[in-house]
């Protein structure tokens, strides 16, 4: 059997990298979580004009060289320069302009005296300190020269990147597409969420859960579908979806029963599609193949296996397609209560946190169909295959289930 | 001056708690990040019918009591029961049905023999092991009885909660509204993102940055507006927005200049509005008040101060309104390179990670107008007010800037 690391690597290597596209910067929310494909260069110098770093008075340093607390220098005030003043003003030697933070420093001025060092006069102002030339002046282009790289290729866009993007005056940037993921739940027994399950039927819980995981992971949802248990129907729906989606996730139909629709559709076909067993619990039976350029991840059908398989296999591959690092964030915690793990298989155990996240303990039964235990868990602890008993005080790797984006 | 913790607590105490509303479960993506207001109880038993945990054969345990590897018991097979079979079937004593995982166990059967313990026959089946009654059978209601609580009040909805929500057959749940936040950038100098900044003008970078922070924080954006530097205009726009938004954030107009529109609008008014100084860097000047039931957070105008103020004051208050815990996730890291911190003020220093997040070092200049340093940072390190030099090897608290939701 493959280890989960081997299988994960195989998938990450197999998926295509998505192309970049030009996107407008005017809706930065739409850019969040996307990766910049080519460096962003500023179209303008920053600051765009020489401006004041303080509320105060624009002067020539030479005119206040004699100023002190005991003998202030008094200058006539030519007027106010508020922020947003678009006039091109001049300072006459021996005078001052009252100026606000961010307002353009008038030609001829080289220094700004902050208001706290003055009497705050409006007709004339008494200045109580000498200052070096350039004090409280931000010079045009001192942060960025036009043409400077302001964001490198590979940047994963977060809110902190928006100010420089906005200020750089670029209209469009080149960013890698977020994978559009289609979700297909298989099984004749499924009824849609919100519908009523009769005898022998169950509500499709994988479809909406995976849609939520797609959203939380920073990907886009292309479609959600339910299909019955025939290979022909599965093949038809997947072929149709592959025309639009960047990646398809199916659930169910990959184990050892007589009606396993993914296997019926692909196992003996000419397609490049493999069904494997991975030494993990839950999530042992897995399938993967390409439909044209579209990777198809065939996950096992029970919800706990589906969630674990999405996090361990689909998310790293989809992140890779998007130009991100494959690895989900993980942490470590100490074991607060013993539990057992199957020999020879990596266990992804559902755990809850104690002691502000420093300690974990198992939650509910670890059976893969127990929905309450899944809902009640806060993280997955990763127990290596050679461990059969997880002892109190040991350190385990954990994948937090809250906040995966 | 107030400490940032004192001011944060004052704001968390001051904001209203938002009401719950009924929402349909059919779009779980729309429910992500919302808090459940009243316990969710299952409308149905789970499983809804007694079903098979394995692919195999439904039998009576008594009929295979003599089976062993050496002398298998052979039973006639009555037919197939695939998953999704809605027939109400019966097992005749001394016979077997071939049954798939999740398919309904026929009346009269009490045990499922997994296919691996048989010859997988379709007309008749040779069974090579005796099994205890109930093996591989999931009984109706064994996980959940109708009326059981499946999700407690206070649950913050994540993808892992979707399966139990879908399966419980509930149509609507009561969830607390996500705060709808309006963003108002003040300043005559502002032009919109994507526009061209002439002499004296700058692109509004706070508005789109805060919109992105709203999105990343799990809140909803009600509106973004730009207003000029008069108190009347600010008051008019805020009054209009307060009719629809749950919370308003403004930037600019709270410091010591001659044209501070937030102060002009509210400082000497009858409104319950306070302007304070908080012993922190950046983010010292802050304003807060209520316009009717709508809290207004008046943040300082430069982008770094705005971002820090949003994370430290707005996000905890908005999370509280949404029924979540106020605190943003924080971590700790070791200092890899020394830096200085102002005496008497808590510094929120922009840092980057080293050594897989275990070490931090300062990035760029710590001046509050330097956009490149903001974009290049990966976390904020929190340096207490009594520290003036952050030494190599010390441990500092950090707020990661990636993935705040």
């Amino acid at each position: 059997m493959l280890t989960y690391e081997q299988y994960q690597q195989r998938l990450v290597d197999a998926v295509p990298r998505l192309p970049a596209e030009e996107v407008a910067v005017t809706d930065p929310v739409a850019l969040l979580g996307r990766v910049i494909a080519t460096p962003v260069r500023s179209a303008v110098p920053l600051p765009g004009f020489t401006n004041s770093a303080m509320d105060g008075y624009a002067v020539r340093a030479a005119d206040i060289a004699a100023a002190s607390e005991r003998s202030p220098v008094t200058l006539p005030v030519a007027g106010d320069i508020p922020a947003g003043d678009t006039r091109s003003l001049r300072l006459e030697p021996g005078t001052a302009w009252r100026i606000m933070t961010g307002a353009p420093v008038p030609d001829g001025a080289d220094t700004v005296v902050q208001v706290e060092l003055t009497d705050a006069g409006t007709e004339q102002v008494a200045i109580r300190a000498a200052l070096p030339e350039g004090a409280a002046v931000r010079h045009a282009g001192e942060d960025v020269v036009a043409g400077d790289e302001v964001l490198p290729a590979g940047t994963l866009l977060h809110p902190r990147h928006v100010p420089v993007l906005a200020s750089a005056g670029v209209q469009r940037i080149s960013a890698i597409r977020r994978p559009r993921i289609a979700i297909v739940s298989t099984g004749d027994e499924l009824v849609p969420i919100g519908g009523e399950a009769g005898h022998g039927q169950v509500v499709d819980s994988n479809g909406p859960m995976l849609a939520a995981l797609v959203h939380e992971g920073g990907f886009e949802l292309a479609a959600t579908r339910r299909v019955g248990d025939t290979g022909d129907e599965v093949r038809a729906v997947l072929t149709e979806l592959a025309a639009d989606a960047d990646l398809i996730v199916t659930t169910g139909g990959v184990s050892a029963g007589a009606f396993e629709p993914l296997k019926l559709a692909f196992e003996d076909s000419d397609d490049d599609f493999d069904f494997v067993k991975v030494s993990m619990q839950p999530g042992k039976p897995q399938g993967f193949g390409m439909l044209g350029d579209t990777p198809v991840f065939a996950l096992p059908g029970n919800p706990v296996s589906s969630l674990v398989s999405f996090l361990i296999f689909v998310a790293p591959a989809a992140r890779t397609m998007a130009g991100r690092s494959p690895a989900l964030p993980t942490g470590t915690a100490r074991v607060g209560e013993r539990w057992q793990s199957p020999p020879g298989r990596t266990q992804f155990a559902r755990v809850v946190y104690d002691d502000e996240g420093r300690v974990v303990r198992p939650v509910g039964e670890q059976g893969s169909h127990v929905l309450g235990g899944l809902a009640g868990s806060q993280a997955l602890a990763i127990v290596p295959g050679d461990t059969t008993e997880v002892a109190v005080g040991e350190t385990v790797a954990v994948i937090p289930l809250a906040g995966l984006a």
Side-chain angles (χ1 to χ4, degrees), chain A:
Chain A
M1 278 198 288
L2 292 162
T3 67
Y4 85 90
E5 294 98 330
Q6 289 168 333
Y7 189 57
Q8 186 186 69
Q9 189 62 52
R10 179 189 291 188
L11 302 176
V12 163
D13 291 344
V15 294
R17 275 54 179 165
L18 291 179
E21 55 191 8
E22 295 272 302
V23 284
V25 301
T26 42
D27 181 8
V29 170
L31 293 177
L32 291 182
R34 291 180 64 146
V35 170
I36 294 176
T38 53
V40 177
R41 297 182 185 284
S42 188
V44 295
L46 293 175
F49 53 93
T50 298
N51 69 88
S52 176
M54 301 271 196
D55 296 315
Y57 295 83
V59 298
R60 298 196 318 165
D63 290 339
I64 60 166
S68 69
E69 192 67 40
R70 292 199 170 182
S71 65
V73 168
T74 297
L75 301 176
V77 174
D80 287 339
I81 314 179
D85 195 328
T86 57
R87 297 174 292 176
S88 287
L89 297 170
R90 249 208 101 65
L91 179 88
E92 297 302 323
T95 70
W97 283 91
R98 192 161 73 134
I99 191 167
M100 301 306 141
T101 304
V105 172
D107 285 349
D110 55 31
T111 301
V112 171
V113 184
Q114 65 192 93
V115 66
E116 290 83 354
L117 300 176
T118 73
D119 67 353
T122 53
E123 299 294 318
Q124 55 180 38
V125 59
I127 292 171
R128 296 195 303 268
L131 289 173
E133 192 179 312
V137 173
R138 301 171 184 152
H139 290 279
E142 94 178 22
D143 284 357
V144 169
V145 175
D148 271 2
E149 178 179 307
V150 291
L151 290 177
T155 300
L156 178 65
L157 282 164
H158 282 116
R160 68 180 180 277
H161 301 114
V162 172
V164 79
L165 207 54
S167 304
V170 293
Q171 301 291 323
R172 304 175 76 75
I173 65 169
S174 176
I176 299 174
R177 199 163 71 223
R178 274 189 284 255
R180 288 168 46 75
I181 299 182
I183 306 292
V184 181
S185 307
T186 71
D188 285 331
E189 72 276 23
L190 301 179
V191 298
I193 185 170
E196 198 165 322
H199 178 73
Q201 298 181 316
V202 296
V203 176
D204 173 24
S205 56
N206 282 334
M209 176 186 72
L210 289 167
L213 284 165
V214 163
H215 183 81
E216 190 186 49
F219 316 117
E220 289 180 15
L221 189 63
T224 56
R225 298 285 282 274
R226 290 185 312 285
V227 298
D229 276 335
T230 72
D232 285 350
E233 189 181 352
V234 167
R235 176 178 277 279
V237 167
L238 265 56
T239 303
E240 178 203 327
L241 290 172
D244 180 49
D246 297 312
L247 187 163
I248 300 173
V249 179
T250 71
T251 61
V254 295
S255 57
F259 310 100
E260 300 288 348
L262 265 291
K263 288 194 166 177
L264 291 173
F266 295 109
E267 195 164 39
D268 300 317
S269 76
D270 293 336
D271 295 281
D272 175 21
F273 216 105
D274 286 320
F275 294 91
V276 300
K277 287 190 167 50
V278 183
S279 60
M280 62 193 284
Q281 183 203 53
K284 185 166 81 169
Q286 297 283 340
F288 177 79
M290 298 293 294
L291 271 185
D293 294 333
T294 306
V296 179
F297 292 73
L299 312 185
N302 75 60
V304 182
S305 305
S306 287
L307 178 132
V308 169
S309 302
F310 184 92
L311 296 180
I312 304 304
F313 300 128
V314 180
R319 289 164 63 103
T320 300
M321 293 173 78
R324 296 162 63 184
S325 67
L328 290 181
T330 56
T332 57
R334 251 181 335 105
V335 173
E337 183 185 322
R338 65 176 286 282
W339 76 84
Q340 296 191 316
S341 181
R345 293 162 72 184
T346 304
Q347 184 189 43
F348 294 91
R350 299 185 288 291
V351 295
V352 289
Y353 288 120
D354 266 341
D355 192 20
E356 299 187 340
R358 286 184 284 265
V359 170
V360 292
R361 55 187 172 78
V363 58
E365 294 177 55
Q366 297 289 333
S368 50
H369 65 285
V370 179
L371 305 183
L374 176 62
S377 61
Q378 297 176 319
L380 297 173
I382 306 175
V383 182
D386 56 7
T387 302
T388 54
E389 179 156 330
V390 186
V392 172
E394 281 180 22
T395 296
V396 286
V398 293
I399 301 173
L401 289 181
L404 291 162

